[in-house]
């Protein structure tokens, strides 16, 4: 069984910062890409940022220059540093990991339960 647990969400004023963490645990053989997605009320879930096992990163245009994704492979943890937050960043943020649970097993996507980020104007 695999679990991804997010932490670090909360309420912050516009211009402020938050750091999200997501730790993967359980029967993990290897982890490929890890990423952050968000879903605002009434909107579809969207990609925020992803990072490969080799450290290659991809960001949504709306967060480039403000958000930084990083990972600690030894801890199976991915982080999202969010600076200069805007009210439009308000959403539930979800962590996703593409990982394998054993040798020869195809990778699957696993999601965390989500953490609320609210940015007040």
């Amino acid at each position: 069984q695999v679990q991804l647990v997010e932490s670090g969400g909360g309420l912050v004023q516009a211009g402020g910062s938050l750091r999200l963490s997501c730790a993967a645990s359980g029967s993990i053989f290897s982890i490929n890409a890890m990423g952050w997605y968000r879903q605002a009320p009434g909107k579809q879930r969207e990609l925020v940022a992803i990072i490969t096992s080799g450290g290659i990163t991809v960001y949504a245009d709306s967060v480039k220059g403000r958000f930084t994704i990083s990972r600690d492979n030894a801890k199976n943890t991915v982080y999202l540093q969010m600076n200069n937050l805007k009210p439009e960043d308000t959403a539930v943020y979800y962590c996703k990991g593409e990982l394998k649970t054993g040798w020869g097993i195809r990778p699957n996507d696993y999601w965390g339960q989500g953490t609320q980020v609210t940015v007040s104007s």
Side-chain angles (χ1 to χ4, degrees):
Q1 189 175 359
V2 173
Q3 280 190 317
L4 276 69
V5 179
E6 300 106 333
S7 61
L11 172 64
V12 64
Q13 288 187 331
S17 299
L18 285 174
R19 188 190 192 212
L20 306 183
S21 299
C22 171
S25 63
S27 302
I28 299 171
F29 178 77
S30 64
I31 302 178
N32 297 339
M34 299 188 79
W36 289 96
Y37 294 73
R38 67 187 181 186
Q39 187 167 18
K43 295 187 177 181
Q44 290 189 330
R45 191 173 298 188
E46 64 177 2
L47 169 72
V48 176
I50 59 174
I51 183 168
T52 69
S53 57
I56 296 172
T57 57
V58 176
Y59 294 93
D61 287 342
S62 59
V63 306
K64 282 181 182 177
R66 301 187 297 122
F67 291 9
T68 302
I69 189 171
S70 61
R71 63 191 281 174
D72 184 333
N73 291 329
K75 296 181 178 180
N76 291 337
T77 299
V78 64
Y79 306 95
L80 185 68
Q81 177 66 44
M82 305 185 294
N83 297 328
N84 191 22
L85 283 159
K86 303 176 181 180
E88 52 263 42
D89 294 318
T90 296
V92 177
Y93 284 69
Y94 297 91
C95 168
K96 187 182 84 168
E98 181 190 68
L99 58 90
K100 298 173 65 175
T101 56
W103 178 261
I105 297 177
R106 294 175 59 185
N108 285 308
D109 289 339
Y110 294 83
W111 291 87
Q113 82 286 353
T115 185
Q116 177 70 45
V117 171
T118 302
V119 184
S120 63
S121 57

